[in-house]
Amino acid sequence: MALRSMTSPIFRLATINVHGFQNARFQNNLNELISILKPLNLDLLAVEEVDKTNGWQKFCQELGLNYFQFETSYNRYCGNGLASKYSIQSTSSQQANVSCSGGQRSILQCRFNDEHPFLRNHLFAVTHLDHLNEDHRLKQIKQFRPNDKQIDVLLGDFNALTRDDYSDKYYQNIVEGKRRQSGWELPRFDLTDLLTNTWKYEDVFRIANPELKDEDVVTCEYGTRIDYIYIQRKVLQKWNLTKCEIIDTKGATDHNAVLAEFQLK
Protein backbone atom coordinates (compact mmCIF):
# COMPACT_ATOMS: atom_id res chain seq x y z
CA MET A 1 0.00 0.00 0.00
CA ALA A 2 1.35 3.42 -0.93
CA LEU A 3 1.81 5.79 1.97
CA ARG A 4 -0.10 9.07 1.72
CA SER A 5 2.33 11.97 1.38
CA MET A 6 2.34 14.41 4.26
CA THR A 7 2.72 18.12 3.53
CA SER A 8 3.83 20.56 6.20
CA PRO A 9 1.44 23.47 6.81
CA ILE A 10 2.09 26.65 4.81
CA PHE A 11 1.17 30.20 5.82
CA ARG A 12 1.05 33.11 3.37
CA LEU A 13 0.86 36.72 4.50
CA ALA A 14 1.28 40.08 2.84
CA THR A 15 1.19 43.83 3.41
CA ILE A 16 -0.08 46.57 1.10
CA ASN A 17 -0.84 50.29 1.23
CA VAL A 18 -4.13 50.67 -0.67
CA HIS A 19 -4.09 54.50 -0.93
CA GLY A 20 -7.61 54.91 0.44
CA PHE A 21 -8.86 52.46 -2.20
CA GLN A 22 -8.12 55.03 -4.91
CA ASN A 23 -5.64 54.93 -7.77
CA ALA A 24 -3.60 57.89 -9.03
CA ARG A 25 -6.63 59.14 -11.00
CA PHE A 26 -8.73 59.07 -7.79
CA GLN A 27 -10.82 56.21 -9.15
CA ASN A 28 -11.81 53.27 -7.00
CA ASN A 29 -9.08 50.61 -7.23
CA LEU A 30 -10.92 47.88 -5.33
CA ASN A 31 -11.46 45.45 -8.21
CA GLU A 32 -7.92 45.98 -9.52
CA LEU A 33 -6.42 45.15 -6.13
CA ILE A 34 -8.65 42.12 -5.66
CA SER A 35 -7.61 40.74 -9.06
CA ILE A 36 -3.93 41.12 -8.10
CA LEU A 37 -4.15 39.75 -4.56
CA LYS A 38 -6.73 36.97 -4.88
CA PRO A 39 -4.43 34.54 -6.75
CA LEU A 40 -1.94 34.78 -3.87
CA ASN A 41 -4.32 32.73 -1.66
CA LEU A 42 -3.39 34.70 1.45
CA ASP A 43 -3.96 33.57 5.01
CA LEU A 44 -3.44 37.06 6.41
CA LEU A 45 -3.19 40.57 4.95
CA ALA A 46 -2.02 43.78 6.64
CA VAL A 47 -3.43 46.92 5.02
CA GLU A 48 -2.49 50.58 5.37
CA GLU A 49 -4.40 53.71 4.31
CA VAL A 50 -7.70 51.88 4.56
CA ASP A 51 -10.81 53.96 3.86
CA LYS A 52 -13.42 52.07 5.84
CA THR A 53 -16.27 53.65 3.87
CA ASN A 54 -14.84 52.82 0.42
CA GLY A 55 -15.12 49.04 0.22
CA TRP A 56 -13.05 47.66 3.11
CA GLN A 57 -15.52 44.87 3.93
CA LYS A 58 -15.97 43.85 0.29
CA PHE A 59 -12.20 43.90 -0.21
CA CYS A 60 -11.62 41.43 2.63
CA GLN A 61 -14.49 39.12 1.75
CA GLU A 62 -13.62 38.95 -1.95
CA LEU A 63 -10.12 37.81 -0.93
CA GLY A 64 -11.60 35.07 1.26
CA LEU A 65 -10.42 36.85 4.40
CA ASN A 66 -13.68 36.84 6.32
CA TYR A 67 -12.28 37.93 9.67
CA PHE A 68 -11.05 41.51 9.69
CA GLN A 69 -10.33 44.39 12.00
CA PHE A 70 -9.98 48.10 11.27
CA GLU A 71 -8.49 50.75 13.53
CA THR A 72 -8.62 54.46 12.87
CA SER A 73 -5.43 56.45 12.47
CA TYR A 74 -5.91 59.68 10.51
CA ASN A 75 -9.60 60.28 11.14
CA ARG A 76 -12.73 58.36 11.99
CA TYR A 77 -12.74 56.30 8.78
CA CYS A 78 -9.07 56.04 7.73
CA GLY A 79 -6.40 53.83 9.23
CA ASN A 80 -4.88 50.33 9.35
CA GLY A 81 -6.49 46.93 8.95
CA LEU A 82 -5.79 43.24 9.42
CA ALA A 83 -7.73 40.58 7.52
CA SER A 84 -7.47 36.82 7.98
CA LYS A 85 -8.89 33.46 7.02
CA TYR A 86 -8.93 32.66 10.71
CA SER A 87 -11.05 34.10 13.50
CA ILE A 88 -9.79 36.90 15.70
CA GLN A 89 -9.23 36.19 19.37
CA SER A 90 -8.42 39.70 20.59
CA THR A 91 -7.34 43.12 19.30
CA SER A 92 -5.75 46.25 20.69
CA SER A 93 -4.53 49.52 19.24
CA GLN A 94 -2.45 52.51 20.19
CA GLN A 95 -2.14 55.98 18.73
CA ALA A 96 1.23 57.70 18.87
CA ASN A 97 1.39 60.82 21.00
CA VAL A 98 3.70 62.61 18.57
CA SER A 99 2.91 66.05 17.22
CA CYS A 100 4.04 66.21 13.60
CA SER A 101 2.90 67.61 10.26
CA GLY A 102 2.69 64.09 8.81
CA GLY A 103 -0.51 63.37 10.71
CA GLN A 104 -1.62 60.93 13.40
CA ARG A 105 -0.19 57.39 13.33
CA SER A 106 -1.21 54.19 15.07
CA ILE A 107 -0.53 50.49 15.44
CA LEU A 108 -3.13 47.70 15.36
CA GLN A 109 -2.39 44.40 17.11
CA CYS A 110 -4.27 41.11 16.76
CA ARG A 111 -4.17 37.63 18.14
CA PHE A 112 -5.98 34.99 16.14
CA ASN A 113 -7.51 31.72 17.23
CA ASP A 114 -5.10 28.93 16.46
CA GLU A 115 -6.91 27.05 13.71
CA HIS A 116 -3.56 27.26 11.89
CA PRO A 117 -0.30 26.42 13.70
CA PHE A 118 1.46 29.59 12.46
CA LEU A 119 -1.01 31.66 14.48
CA ARG A 120 -0.46 29.78 17.72
CA ASN A 121 0.91 32.04 20.47
CA HIS A 122 1.90 34.73 17.96
CA LEU A 123 0.98 38.41 18.12
CA PHE A 124 0.59 40.25 14.79
CA ALA A 125 0.64 44.00 14.19
CA VAL A 126 0.35 46.51 11.35
CA THR A 127 1.50 50.12 11.37
CA HIS A 128 2.03 53.05 9.03
CA LEU A 129 4.69 55.51 10.16
CA ASP A 130 5.24 59.19 9.34
CA HIS A 131 6.17 59.94 5.73
CA LEU A 132 8.09 63.17 6.30
CA ASN A 133 10.60 62.85 9.13
CA GLU A 134 12.77 60.01 10.49
CA ASP A 135 12.84 61.51 13.99
CA HIS A 136 9.05 61.36 14.10
CA ARG A 137 9.09 57.77 12.86
CA LEU A 138 11.53 56.86 15.61
CA LYS A 139 9.37 58.49 18.28
CA GLN A 140 6.31 56.65 16.98
CA ILE A 141 7.89 53.20 16.89
CA LYS A 142 9.46 53.72 20.34
CA GLN A 143 6.04 54.57 21.73
CA PHE A 144 4.56 51.46 20.11
CA ARG A 145 7.32 49.28 21.66
CA PRO A 146 6.77 46.20 19.46
CA ASN A 147 9.69 44.35 21.02
CA ASP A 148 8.57 44.95 24.61
CA LYS A 149 5.02 43.93 23.69
CA GLN A 150 6.42 40.74 22.12
CA ILE A 151 4.90 41.41 18.72
CA ASP A 152 6.06 38.43 16.68
CA VAL A 153 5.09 39.59 13.19
CA LEU A 154 5.23 43.30 12.39
CA LEU A 155 4.05 44.48 8.98
CA GLY A 156 3.33 47.74 7.23
CA ASP A 157 4.41 50.90 5.50
CA PHE A 158 7.30 52.15 7.61
CA ASN A 159 8.37 54.96 5.25
CA ALA A 160 11.91 53.95 6.23
CA LEU A 161 14.96 52.97 4.19
CA THR A 162 17.53 50.17 4.35
CA ARG A 163 21.01 51.09 3.04
CA ASP A 164 21.82 47.59 1.77
CA ASP A 165 18.93 47.86 -0.70
CA TYR A 166 20.90 50.17 -3.01
CA SER A 167 24.11 50.21 -4.98
CA ASP A 168 26.22 53.34 -4.57
CA LYS A 169 25.21 54.69 -7.97
CA TYR A 170 21.51 54.10 -7.46
CA TYR A 171 21.70 55.56 -3.97
CA GLN A 172 23.35 58.75 -5.20
CA ASN A 173 21.15 59.23 -8.27
CA ILE A 174 17.75 58.00 -7.10
CA VAL A 175 17.54 57.70 -3.33
CA GLU A 176 19.54 60.75 -2.28
CA GLY A 177 19.34 62.56 -5.62
CA LYS A 178 15.55 62.68 -5.82
CA ARG A 179 15.29 63.81 -2.23
CA ARG A 180 17.73 66.66 -2.69
CA GLN A 181 15.99 67.72 -5.86
CA SER A 182 12.56 67.69 -4.20
CA GLY A 183 13.68 69.26 -0.93
CA TRP A 184 12.72 66.22 1.17
CA GLU A 185 14.57 64.83 4.16
CA LEU A 186 17.85 63.20 3.21
CA PRO A 187 18.13 59.41 3.56
CA ARG A 188 18.54 57.98 7.04
CA PHE A 189 18.52 54.40 8.26
CA ASP A 190 18.02 54.80 12.00
CA LEU A 191 14.62 53.13 12.14
CA THR A 192 15.48 49.97 10.22
CA ASP A 193 18.74 49.72 12.19
CA LEU A 194 16.75 49.94 15.43
CA LEU A 195 14.36 47.20 14.37
CA THR A 196 16.96 44.77 13.06
CA ASN A 197 20.13 45.47 15.04
CA THR A 198 18.75 46.54 18.43
CA TRP A 199 15.36 44.84 18.64
CA LYS A 200 16.52 41.83 16.59
CA TYR A 201 13.65 41.64 14.13
CA GLU A 202 14.36 39.84 10.88
CA ASP A 203 13.64 41.64 7.60
CA VAL A 204 12.21 38.65 5.75
CA PHE A 205 12.55 40.16 2.27
CA ARG A 206 16.26 40.68 2.82
CA ILE A 207 16.67 37.12 4.15
CA ALA A 208 14.99 35.64 1.08
CA ASN A 209 16.64 37.99 -1.43
CA PRO A 210 20.13 38.87 -0.17
CA GLU A 211 21.42 39.91 -3.60
CA LEU A 212 18.52 42.02 -4.91
CA LYS A 213 19.06 45.78 -5.10
CA ASP A 214 17.87 48.97 -6.75
CA GLU A 215 14.88 48.60 -9.13
CA ASP A 216 14.33 45.00 -7.97
CA VAL A 217 13.40 46.03 -4.42
CA VAL A 218 11.12 49.00 -5.09
CA THR A 219 7.80 49.13 -3.23
CA CYS A 220 6.83 52.78 -3.76
CA GLU A 221 6.65 55.21 -6.65
CA TYR A 222 9.81 57.05 -5.54
CA GLY A 223 12.09 54.12 -6.32
CA THR A 224 12.70 52.86 -2.78
CA ARG A 225 11.65 50.02 -0.48
CA ILE A 226 9.60 51.29 2.44
CA ASP A 227 7.12 48.41 2.99
CA TYR A 228 8.31 45.57 5.22
CA ILE A 229 7.48 42.30 6.92
CA TYR A 230 9.49 41.89 10.12
CA ILE A 231 9.48 38.74 12.21
CA GLN A 232 11.00 37.69 15.50
CA ARG A 233 13.81 35.17 15.23
CA LYS A 234 12.07 32.67 17.51
CA VAL A 235 9.41 32.16 14.84
CA LEU A 236 12.07 31.05 12.37
CA GLN A 237 13.12 28.29 14.74
CA LYS A 238 9.93 26.41 13.82
CA TRP A 239 9.07 27.88 10.43
CA ASN A 240 11.10 28.04 7.22
CA LEU A 241 10.82 31.18 5.15
CA THR A 242 10.19 29.65 1.72
CA LYS A 243 9.47 32.83 -0.24
CA CYS A 244 9.35 36.60 0.05
CA GLU A 245 8.68 38.73 -2.98
CA ILE A 246 7.37 42.09 -4.12
CA ILE A 247 4.07 41.95 -5.98
CA ASP A 248 3.64 44.54 -8.72
CA THR A 249 0.31 46.36 -8.27
CA LYS A 250 0.58 47.85 -11.76
CA GLY A 251 -0.37 51.34 -10.67
CA ALA A 252 -3.57 50.30 -8.90
CA THR A 253 -2.09 51.95 -5.82
CA ASP A 254 1.11 53.91 -5.21
CA HIS A 255 2.73 50.94 -3.43
CA ASN A 256 3.61 47.38 -4.34
CA ALA A 257 2.60 44.55 -2.04
CA VAL A 258 5.09 42.41 -0.12
CA LEU A 259 4.32 38.67 0.15
CA ALA A 260 5.96 36.14 2.45
CA GLU A 261 5.41 32.39 2.69
CA PHE A 262 6.37 30.15 5.62
CA GLN A 263 6.37 26.37 5.94
CA LEU A 264 6.45 24.41 9.17
CA LYS A 265 9.78 22.65 9.66
Side-chain angles (χ1 to χ4, degrees):
M1 179 184 297
L3 294 176
R4 185 176 61 181
S5 62
M6 301 295 290
T7 302
S8 296
I10 292 174
F11 195 86
R12 297 166 67 84
L13 68 163
T15 181
I16 187 172
N17 182 319
V18 296
H19 198 245
F21 292 120
Q22 291 183 327
N23 61 25
R25 302 180 299 279
F26 297 99
Q27 299 169 333
N28 189 286
N29 62 10
L30 201 66
N31 291 331
E32 293 175 273
L33 291 175
I34 290 169
S35 69
I36 293 167
L37 297 172
K38 195 167 186 175
L40 303 180
N41 191 26
L42 296 171
D43 294 285
L44 183 142
L45 179 63
V47 190
E48 306 84 51
E49 291 194 26
V50 173
D51 182 342
K52 189 180 180 182
T53 67
N54 201 20
W56 165 238
Q57 182 172 337
K58 176 185 176 182
F59 177 70
C60 297
Q61 292 176 336
E62 287 288 331
L63 294 175
L65 305 173
N66 294 317
Y67 302 94
F68 44 88
Q69 181 70 30
F70 165 85
E71 186 59 41
T72 183
S73 183
Y74 317 109
N75 60 49
R76 184 177 177 184
Y77 300 110
C78 297
N80 302 313
L82 282 166
S84 172
K85 284 183 177 178
Y86 306 97
S87 59
I88 296 171
Q89 183 183 90
S90 62
T91 66
S92 61
S93 64
Q94 178 185 353
Q95 287 201 339
N97 183 23
V98 179
S99 177
C100 59
S101 56
Q104 184 68 52
R105 304 292 161 145
S106 66
I107 189 169
L108 169 64
Q109 301 159 183
C110 280
R111 287 192 185 276
F112 298 89
N113 291 316
D114 61 1
E115 296 103 316
H116 191 289
F118 190 83
L119 301 172
R120 196 166 297 140
N121 300 320
H122 290 162
L123 180 61
F124 297 77
V126 56
T127 191
H128 181 197
L129 302 181
D130 186 75
H131 63 291
L132 297 175
N133 187 286
E134 183 86 340
D135 288 325
H136 291 158
R137 289 188 283 273
L138 286 165
K139 289 178 181 178
Q140 289 162 354
I141 201 68
K142 287 177 180 178
Q143 283 192 8
F144 296 152
R145 298 183 297 110
N147 192 43
D148 290 345
K149 292 179 181 177
Q150 297 185 325
I151 292 172
D152 300 293
V153 184
L154 178 64
L155 312 95
D157 175 359
F158 291 79
N159 278 305
L161 303 175
T162 299
R163 180 62 182 91
D164 288 345
D165 284 345
Y166 314 107
S167 64
D168 290 342
K169 182 178 179 180
Y170 190 92
Y171 176 82
Q172 292 167 5
N173 293 339
I174 303 299
V175 183
E176 184 176 17
K178 281 188 175 182
R179 288 168 178 247
R180 286 190 182 277
Q181 187 177 14
S182 302
W184 302 336
E185 64 168 345
L186 293 180
R188 290 173 56 184
F189 313 101
D190 308 61
L191 191 136
T192 55
D193 286 345
L194 174 67
L195 284 167
T196 57
N197 295 329
T198 303
W199 290 346
K200 305 303 181 184
Y201 278 95
E202 296 284 356
D203 175 355
V204 297
F205 180 82
R206 188 45 61 200
I207 293 174
N209 308 282
E211 305 301 325
L212 290 187
K213 292 181 182 291
D214 303 343
E215 293 90 348
D216 292 329
V217 308
V218 169
T219 66
C220 80
E221 60 183 346
Y222 301 111
T224 53
R225 182 169 74 106
I226 60 175
D227 303 84
Y228 296 85
I229 299 174
Y230 288 108
I231 193 164
Q232 285 283 13
R233 292 178 179 177
K234 66 179 183 180
V235 180
L236 297 177
Q237 294 174 1
K238 294 183 178 180
W239 291 84
N240 286 320
L241 173 64
T242 54
K243 178 194 301 184
C244 187
E245 58 190 21
I246 293 167
I247 306 300
D248 186 0
T249 57
K250 304 171 185 174
T253 176
D254 58 350
H255 287 246
N256 289 324
V258 183
L259 164 73
E261 179 183 275
F262 296 87
Q263 186 170 27
L264 185 65
K265 290 185 178 180

